[in-house]
Amino acid sequence: MKMANDLKFKIIESINDEELSQIFNDDRYIYVKPTIYAMSERKLESLKNIARIQKYYQCNPVRFIEDFFNITLLDAQAYIVQRTWNCPNVLVLASRAFGKSTVIDLILMAKDMLFCNVWTYIASGSGSQAEQTFMTLERLANDGIAEMRNSTGYIFKNEMEIKNAAGDGFSHGSDGFKYSLYNQSFTQTLNSNIDKKRGMRGSVVFDECGFLSEEMLEVYGAFAAVNKDFATGRDRNGKAIDPVRLRTFATNIPNQKFYISSASSTDTKYYRLYREFAKKQLIGDRNYCVVQVSCDVVLNPTVHGEAVNALLKKGDIETAQKTNPENARREYYCEFTSDAGNEAIIRRGVITRNSETRVPLLYNDTNKKKFLLTFDPARNRDNSIITVIEIYQDENNEYRGRIVNCVNMIDVSIKRRTPMQTPDQVDYLRQLVLDYNGDAPSYGNIEAIMIDAGAGGSGKVIADMLMQDWEDSRGKIHPGFIDKETDRQLGTGYANKYPNAVDKVRLMEPSKYKPIMYEAAIEMTNSDLISFTADYDNKGYLTLFLTDDKETKEVKRQIEERLKKENLPDDIYAIKLKEELKKSAVVKTKMAKLDPYQEIALANIDALKEELVNMRRIKRESGKDSFELIPEKVGRLHDDRSYTYVMCSFYLQEKRLENIRTRKKPNAQDILSKLQVNPGKPLDKLFS
């Protein structure tokens, strides 16, 4: 291949198609049109040098990242950058702590600078995951990553369009995060609202895509279906552009579909793509690339062949294997595991789309929130589990739930590794009730305390112990808790014996309620009425995305003023205002450092989700189906966390039904008065 400095420029006035086909294969000259002013040799030489440098770095992105960003990649990271640089279909299966997001972001930054019109979208099951990747890029550009000392992200920042005098080029809207460069390259995040994104074009990065829906992968994957080298039409003189002339047009780097994630289950689209891409790579198809990086690489990283400090502690992997072994196999060893598959009552993808990055709540932080506690006590085989769900009303006054904490009685203390005795469990439950109640009288912020009353546990014994008044660690006396309905049904007379006890306990007999509660869990979860915390990566902190109310109000005021000037009808005005506000909400980031108890809570919620996706339905002739772990997970997983979750779901379902039953029904006359009818036709005659 001839180097740019070996080429010569030849100025020509005009050329026909026959001559064009001859000179196309002539690699000695670059043909240019005449200009008004003759270009000096020095100018020509500088342009050749720029072309040579750009071409070199377009072919050597790792060197570009090192020379311009001052970032030296790990050998495994450098391999990914170079191998995937211009491959249309890429799949990276990588362990936690490898720095997947960092590698992707550096690829995007380098490609945006080296090529024009690079359009890239970052997609994930939840907007927060895509925004996490975007924020890593933003931190790189702002030299905000402590581990990358003396990096020079400002070089990238200098190429960004600053559209707002007060901004820095990065926009954070509720409909997505975005930046653009002066060369018309841009990157934008996408959320799970698929319908509004159809028909867009560009490269797509599917971040943590192991459990994305097939619809999302297909719709967003179609973005990259158009060949960027294809062109048609007419030139500026109106002449048709024939195939020979099209060969002289500058070619672009191809659109890419970039699937990156830790391992998922074997029933997912990501697993099928992994197998498909691997087969095509093995037979030599250069349009497909699969890279797999297990925790062994992360534990033994190298730079230019020399060993460097590990990115991950082996103890972290061992802890993960004890807490959630199935999850550890996927996220550290890149092993695809089997969930309940077609038998699953709740799919992992459903949980993924209902997961959000937030700090677990260990107490009532506003003194106004309402909480439900569900308790599955155990003394021998299983762990004793308490799950806490916040019950709240949305903008439509419909009840929803968010899982805020999950406690394993083994893990309530960092040093404790044996199950708690029953009296200690009772004391701990009482303290949790105080924490989540706050200062509300008569435990007003506690919806209920649901306790499994099955024979395998000690639920009834614990319920008996909870009825009496009790003293907290500060010496304050509190009333006990009682299930008055059960007391009335059994005629035990405990309500008279403990008159101070507050009616907050609900004893749940598994033989009566378990199938019903699991059905409720299926309905509530699949209807997106319960949210979970996002999978925790053990980094010790979370990046939170918060709406800036002050700035959003100012934006709202400006939008309202502009729309009022358009003199729109009230209904059209309301629709447009709602749409523009959704796009214009200002989102800011906050770094939240976690304490050990918050980390334990997140780990237990992750374990809860793992149990749920491995539960299956067993059909019974009686019509009362049973719900159990799939056979291959019996002995490896418990089902106690999932059971506390289904109790939460059942309560939420009943709460929603009660809300419907007691909701004020509209008056018939009010309805009639709002109907527009022709004069002369009395309303009562219309409905007689």
Side-chain angles (χ1 to χ4, degrees):
M1 181 180 76
K2 284 188 177 291
M3 299 300 293
N5 55 6
D6 297 326
L7 302 174
K8 297 183 182 289
F9 287 88
K10 181 179 283 188
I11 300 175
I12 55 174
E13 293 289 341
S14 62
I15 192 168
N16 55 41
D17 290 344
E18 289 78 13
E19 293 171 325
L20 181 62
S21 61
Q22 293 176 5
I23 67 173
F24 182 76
N25 296 317
D26 189 350
D27 60 357
R28 295 171 299 171
Y29 296 97
I30 294 176
Y31 294 85
V32 298
K33 294 176 66 175
T35 57
I36 297 175
Y37 302 102
M39 191 175 294
S40 67
E41 287 294 328
R42 180 178 293 181
K43 182 67 172 178
L44 291 174
E45 190 64 30
S46 68
L47 291 175
K48 287 195 291 184
N49 286 333
I50 292 172
R52 176 176 58 81
I53 293 170
Q54 183 180 22
K55 187 65 177 178
Y56 174 79
Y57 284 123
Q58 285 177 342
C59 299
N60 297 276
V62 175
R63 187 64 183 271
F64 178 81
I65 291 170
E66 187 168 335
D67 291 350
F68 279 77
F69 299 150
N70 201 30
I71 294 174
T72 301
L73 298 171
L74 302 175
D75 291 341
Q77 294 173 334
Y79 174 78
I80 291 175
V81 173
Q82 193 69 48
R83 176 68 180 87
T84 65
W85 185 242
N86 62 349
C87 182
N89 302 284
V90 176
L91 190 145
V92 176
L93 177 63
S95 164
R96 277 196 188 275
F98 175 63
K100 300 187 289 289
S101 296
T102 300
V103 174
I104 294 298
D105 290 332
L106 288 171
I107 290 174
L108 297 183
M109 293 167 68
K111 198 166 289 184
D112 286 346
M113 289 185 66
L114 290 169
F115 298 90
C116 298
N117 293 300
V118 177
W119 300 353
T120 307
Y121 303 92
I122 304 173
S124 71
S126 62
S128 61
Q129 180 56 54
E131 290 159 3
Q132 292 277 4
T133 301
F134 186 97
M135 289 304 303
T136 303
L137 188 150
E138 189 169 334
R139 290 171 63 204
L140 282 166
N142 289 313
D143 299 331
I145 297 181
E147 295 83 355
M148 296 182 176
R149 298 181 180 90
N150 301 316
S151 61
T152 51
Y154 71 88
I155 292 176
F156 179 81
K157 285 287 293 285
N158 289 340
E159 299 298 319
M160 293 177 59
E161 284 188 293
I162 310 297
K163 298 179 180 180
N164 185 346
D168 63 352
F170 293 103
S171 69
H172 300 165
S174 58
D175 64 331
F177 291 10
K178 185 178 180 180
Y179 71 80
S180 58
L181 271 57
Y182 290 113
N183 65 2
Q184 304 305 305
S185 295
F186 74 83
T187 294
Q188 179 180 338
T189 64
L190 302 173
N191 55 31
S192 56
N193 190 350
I194 299 173
D195 292 332
K196 292 186 176 182
K197 307 293 190 307
R198 298 179 189 271
M200 302 171 76
R201 294 291 179 261
S203 296
V204 188
V205 176
F206 295 100
D207 194 19
E208 291 297 343
C209 60
F211 299 97
L212 296 188
S213 68
E214 293 197 25
E215 183 186 16
M216 180 179 287
L217 291 172
E218 290 173 2
V219 173
Y220 290 171
F223 290 12
V226 175
N227 184 356
K228 295 177 72 173
D229 293 340
F230 175 79
T232 187
R234 299 178 180 273
D235 61 21
R236 62 182 62 186
N237 297 319
K239 296 181 179 180
I241 304 175
D242 59 85
V244 175
R245 293 172 66 192
L246 284 174
R247 292 168 62 193
T248 65
F249 289 3
T251 57
N252 292 305
I253 197 164
N255 285 330
Q256 289 181 294
K257 287 181 283 188
F258 210 119
Y259 304 93
I260 184 165
S261 180
S262 49
S264 60
S265 61
T266 54
D267 64 338
T268 59
K269 176 73 172 180
Y270 181 64
Y271 177 67
R272 295 198 296 275
L273 289 172
Y274 169 77
R275 290 173 57 90
E276 177 189 344
F277 286 18
K279 289 177 182 177
K280 292 187 177 182
Q281 180 175 256
L282 287 171
I283 63 175
D285 192 336
R286 299 285 298 176
N287 291 320
Y288 293 85
C289 170
V290 176
V291 182
Q292 183 167 324
V293 184
S294 71
C295 61
D296 295 327
V297 176
V298 184
L299 290 169
N300 303 283
T302 60
V303 174
H304 304 311
E306 299 290 332
V308 296
N309 293 333
L311 304 172
L312 181 67
K313 296 178 181 177
K314 196 167 183 177
D316 294 338
I317 300 176
E318 293 172 350
T319 300
Q321 287 176 313
K322 293 176 183 177
T323 306
N324 193 340
E326 293 294 300
N327 195 55
R329 287 171 60 197
R330 291 192 303 270
E331 297 197 341
Y332 290 105
Y333 292 97
C334 299
E335 296 180 18
F336 288 88
T337 61
S338 59
D339 293 341
N342 293 329
E343 295 181 295
I345 59 171
I346 296 170
R347 295 294 186 100
R348 194 181 295 270
V350 175
I351 292 177
T352 300
R353 78 169 181 244
N354 287 294
S355 296
E356 51 192 22
T357 303
R358 50 180 166 82
V359 178
L361 276 179
L362 306 185
Y363 60 94
N364 198 325
D365 58 340
T366 66
N367 208 34
K368 296 179 181 179
K369 293 177 179 177
K370 307 291 184 181
F371 297 94
L372 168 74
L373 284 74
T374 59
F375 186 22
D376 182 13
R379 187 64 185 87
N380 297 315
R381 183 177 61 87
D382 291 337
N383 301 324
S384 291
I385 301 295
I386 300 174
T387 292
V388 185
I389 182 173
E390 180 190 351
I391 306 293
Y392 67 98
Q393 287 182 287
D394 60 17
E395 62 275 7
N396 299 317
N397 293 321
E398 300 285 347
Y399 284 102
R400 294 176 172 268
R402 54 169 71 94
I403 303 296
V404 299
N405 195 5
C406 184
V407 178
N408 184 341
M409 292 296 189
I410 294 176
D411 290 333
V412 295
S413 172
I414 299 171
K415 296 181 180 179
R416 188 186 298 273
R417 288 294 179 267
T418 57
M420 299 173 69
Q421 301 292 320
T422 297
D424 294 331
Q425 293 186 21
V426 172
D427 289 341
Y428 191 79
L429 175 60
R430 286 168 171 164
Q431 186 58 49
L432 273 183
V433 171
L434 286 187
D435 292 340
Y436 286 103
N437 180 61
D439 297 331
S442 302
Y443 306 112
N445 287 331
I446 303 299
E447 291 276 338
I449 307 166
M450 301 179 73
I451 302 175
D452 174 41
S458 53
K460 293 180 180 178
V461 174
I462 288 174
D464 290 345
M465 297 173 68
L466 288 172
M467 287 186 282
Q468 57 189 319
D469 295 349
W470 59 282
E471 184 179 343
D472 64 21
S473 57
R474 299 179 180 179
K476 185 177 180 180
I477 303 298
H478 301 276
F481 321 102
I482 191 173
D483 184 349
K484 288 188 176 181
E485 178 62 24
T486 300
D487 180 63
R488 184 188 63 79
Q489 291 178 0
L490 299 178
T492 53
Y494 286 132
N496 296 326
K497 187 177 180 180
Y498 300 99
N500 292 335
V502 182
D503 187 22
K504 289 291 179 180
V505 173
R506 303 290 182 267
L507 280 167
M508 309 302 296
E509 289 284 353
S511 59
K512 180 179 179 181
Y513 290 105
K514 192 172 183 179
I516 302 172
M517 291 192 297
Y518 267 98
E519 296 290 358
I522 296 169
E523 179 185 345
M524 295 295 99
T525 311
N526 290 331
S527 300
D528 302 332
L529 294 171
I530 301 178
S531 70
F532 304 82
T533 55
D535 290 351
Y536 179 50
D537 56 9
N538 298 307
K539 291 182 178 178
Y541 65 88
L542 297 176
T543 303
L544 306 177
F545 302 94
L546 309 170
T547 301
D548 190 309
D549 292 333
K550 186 177 180 181
E551 292 192 28
T552 301
K553 284 180 181 178
E554 175 59 22
V555 171
K556 179 183 178 182
R557 185 188 64 79
Q558 295 174 4
I559 295 172
E560 286 175 335
E561 287 183 358
R562 177 170 53 78
L563 291 178
K564 286 177 181 177
K565 292 178 181 178
E566 298 181 16
N567 295 321
L568 300 169
D570 290 346
D571 54 343
I572 303 297
Y573 172 85
I575 294 171
K576 281 198 170 187
L577 179 62
K578 187 176 181 180
E579 290 178 349
E580 294 204 28
L581 285 176
K582 189 176 180 180
K583 295 178 181 178
S584 305
V586 180
V587 180
K588 292 194 173 183
T589 61
K590 177 185 176 182
M591 197 75 72
K593 184 172 176 56
L594 303 173
D595 64 39
Y597 293 101
Q598 290 171 326
E599 291 192 89
I600 290 173
L602 289 174
N604 274 312
I605 295 174
D606 284 349
L608 182 156
K609 294 186 286 186
E610 193 67 39
E611 291 178 12
L612 278 177
V613 300
N614 282 285
M615 298 296 295
R616 64 169 181 166
R617 182 196 298 270
I618 306 294
K619 288 285 186 181
R620 304 294 187 196
E621 291 184 2
S622 63
K624 219 176 202 181
D625 298 343
S626 65
F627 297 86
E628 303 171 0
L629 286 168
I630 57 175
E632 55 265 38
K633 298 298 172 68
V634 175
R636 295 167 60 181
L637 288 177
H638 296 283
D639 63 356
D640 34 40
R641 293 179 182 86
S642 68
Y643 189 53
T644 59
Y645 174 79
V646 302
M647 284 195 280
C648 293
S649 303
F650 177 70
Y651 184 90
L652 178 63
Q653 185 185 63
E654 292 296 303
K655 187 87 172 176
R656 289 175 59 84
L657 290 173
E658 180 64 22
N659 187 44
I660 294 171
R661 286 193 293 267
T662 58
R663 187 179 296 165
K664 184 179 179 182
K665 295 181 180 179
N667 188 289
Q669 291 298 321
D670 292 338
I671 297 175
L672 295 176
S673 64
K674 293 179 181 180
L675 294 176
Q676 294 191 9
V677 295
N678 293 328
K681 295 183 179 180
L683 295 176
D684 58 342
K685 298 294 183 183
L686 291 176
F687 298 94
S688 60

